[in-house]
Amino acid sequence: MNTPLENWATWAEIHRQPEIWSAWGKTLDVNGLRGWIASLDHDEVWFCGAGTSAYIGDIIAAGVPGMRPGLRAVPSTDLVATPKAFLNGVKPLVVSFGRSGNSTESIGTLDALDALAPDAPRLHITCNKDGALATRPSRGPQKVIVLPDATHDAGFAMTSSFSTMLFTALALFDAPCDVPARMDALADQMTGLLQQLRDMPRPERAVYVGAGPLAFAAREAALKVMELSAGQIPALWDSTLGFRHGPKSFVTEGTAITVFTSPDAPTRDYDADLVAELRAQFPTARVTAVGPGGDVDIPMPFGPTWAAPLCVALAQVTGVEWANGLGLNVDDPFSGQGTLSRVVSGVKLYPVAS
């Protein structure tokens, strides 16, 4: 017998997102923080994090083009492994995302900056007021944004932490807008969406596809399914046009394919063509269009980048349902295995020569 979904912390954290977004939009000092950012001497903005936190940077860098200084996704896993390939004379504002702020790579990023760019300005966006990102000082200019305690997800999978860190960064680096009103509108959308997302059949494997920022929303969606199912449901992600170039070989009769569809031309046309092609070629697979006018209708009045958490919510909900149906501990899918943990640790950090 399955555990009632409401008994899982992860389920509650997913459904708490609208309330969190609405309240946070009224609390965040957008004008003050944008003014501080504008006062800095920097020629690039780097978005750093690992796993889901890295995908936040990918979504922003793909979805907020043409900004000056340029926006760049630099996963902390890459920066820590090859610091001199990145810290080579540029002047970045380093924006670090971290739910706990204590992962090995978060600390390794700070170590690399201290050694190679100690004066580089830093902006830390974290959900844990006690983590290294919230408490460790810097020689250069630094601001720390600690999100509400409710975003410090107790479950293994990042849900409200992902969406609220993403919206926080968009409020600061996308074109200026009425942030409280926008967050209220997104919260209302999410509330209505969550009421629709129930009882999706469990597949043998899953695919998530999208273009631009929604390609990286697809990446986060695939990760959610694999994490929550402890790998029992393999999941693949790709871009709309990239999917045909080999990755489509992943599809079998029991595959659930989700295409996150953009509101923008010509992207929406490429998305629509792929949906039609997949339905014709794989009649026994389940192909779901998620976006404006889709099978799961998600209007995107603020564009696809701001809608990314709404698309990912589909995978958050179905991931929990599928994991629960498999009899897994949804809040700790790898319990007893010792292979993955909520906060990555045990990675040996090596010194960075200045």
Side-chain angles (χ1 to χ4, degrees):
M1 180 172 158
N2 294 340
T3 302
L5 293 169
E6 290 74 14
N7 288 9
W8 297 116
T10 305
W11 187 257
E13 287 157 1
I14 292 167
H15 287 76
R16 196 181 298 146
Q17 289 176 101
E19 175 186 348
I20 291 171
W21 300 348
S22 184
W24 182 237
K26 298 174 179 64
T27 304
L28 182 64
D29 179 16
V30 175
N31 291 334
L33 288 163
R34 290 185 78 114
W36 177 77
I37 292 166
S39 74
L40 300 172
D41 179 20
H42 61 292
D43 49 28
E44 289 186 343
V45 178
W46 293 1
F47 297 108
C48 299
T52 291
S53 294
Y55 306 162
I56 293 172
D58 288 326
I59 291 168
I60 297 168
V64 186
M67 300 297 289
R68 294 291 181 270
L71 309 182
R72 182 180 179 191
V74 180
S76 57
T77 44
D78 294 345
L79 179 59
V80 170
T82 57
K84 291 183 179 179
F86 295 94
L87 296 165
N88 55 6
V90 298
K91 295 189 295 184
L93 163 59
V94 181
V95 183
S96 292
F97 300 104
R99 175 173 64 176
S100 73
N102 278 329
S103 74
T104 307
E105 289 85 3
S106 288
I107 294 168
T109 295
L110 302 181
D111 290 346
L113 291 172
D114 285 347
L116 299 176
D119 297 318
R122 308 177 193 181
L123 174 62
H124 297 168
I125 302 176
T126 182
C127 306
N128 179 14
K129 65 182 184 300
D130 299 316
L133 287 183
T135 60
R136 182 161 155 174
S138 167
R139 194 172 88 180
Q142 177 169 287
K143 288 282 188 182
V144 176
I145 302 173
V146 179
L147 273 58
D149 286 343
T151 65
H152 194 201
D153 309 308
F156 178 95
M158 289 177 63
T159 55
S160 67
S161 53
F162 158 75
S163 61
T164 313
M165 286 195 288
L166 172 56
F167 284 147
T168 299
L170 286 174
L172 302 181
F173 293 98
D174 199 3
C177 67
D178 183 340
V179 172
R182 182 164 295 191
M183 296 287 269
D184 278 343
L186 289 162
D188 289 343
Q189 266 196 278
M190 184 69 148
T191 298
L193 181 64
L194 288 171
Q195 294 170 355
Q196 303 174 43
L197 302 180
R198 292 298 294 263
D199 304 320
M200 299 286 281
R202 187 170 74 244
E204 296 176 6
R205 52 180 59 193
V207 171
Y208 295 89
V209 179
L214 296 183
F216 297 104
R219 188 177 191 182
E220 169 61 9
L223 178 64
K224 287 286 93 54
V225 169
M226 289 194 294
E227 285 180 333
L228 289 164
S229 70
Q232 293 189 44
I233 301 175
L236 183 75
W237 73 279
D238 213 303
S239 67
T240 298
L241 290 177
F243 187 57
R244 296 182 179 92
H245 291 260
K248 193 166 67 168
S249 59
F250 183 81
V251 177
T252 62
E253 290 184 0
T255 304
I257 308 170
T258 301
V259 180
F260 296 147
T261 61
S262 174
D264 301 331
T267 314
R268 64 185 176 217
D269 301 314
Y270 291 115
D271 294 335
D273 287 350
L274 181 64
V275 169
E277 176 182 307
L278 292 172
R279 285 175 172 160
Q281 292 180 342
F282 302 101
T284 60
R286 187 171 77 250
V287 181
T288 303
V290 176
D295 303 302
V296 178
D297 184 13
I298 300 180
M300 300 182 182
F302 313 121
T305 311
W306 285 85
L310 303 175
C311 294
V312 171
L314 173 67
Q316 293 176 349
V317 169
T318 54
V320 169
E321 292 180 338
W322 297 342
N324 193 57
L326 290 166
L328 296 170
N329 179 340
V330 171
D331 294 334
D332 187 7
F334 300 91
S335 178
Q337 297 185 31
T339 53
L340 278 88
S341 56
R342 178 179 171 277
V343 180
V344 171
S345 59
V347 178
K348 181 179 179 181
L349 289 174
Y350 295 92
V352 179
S354 59

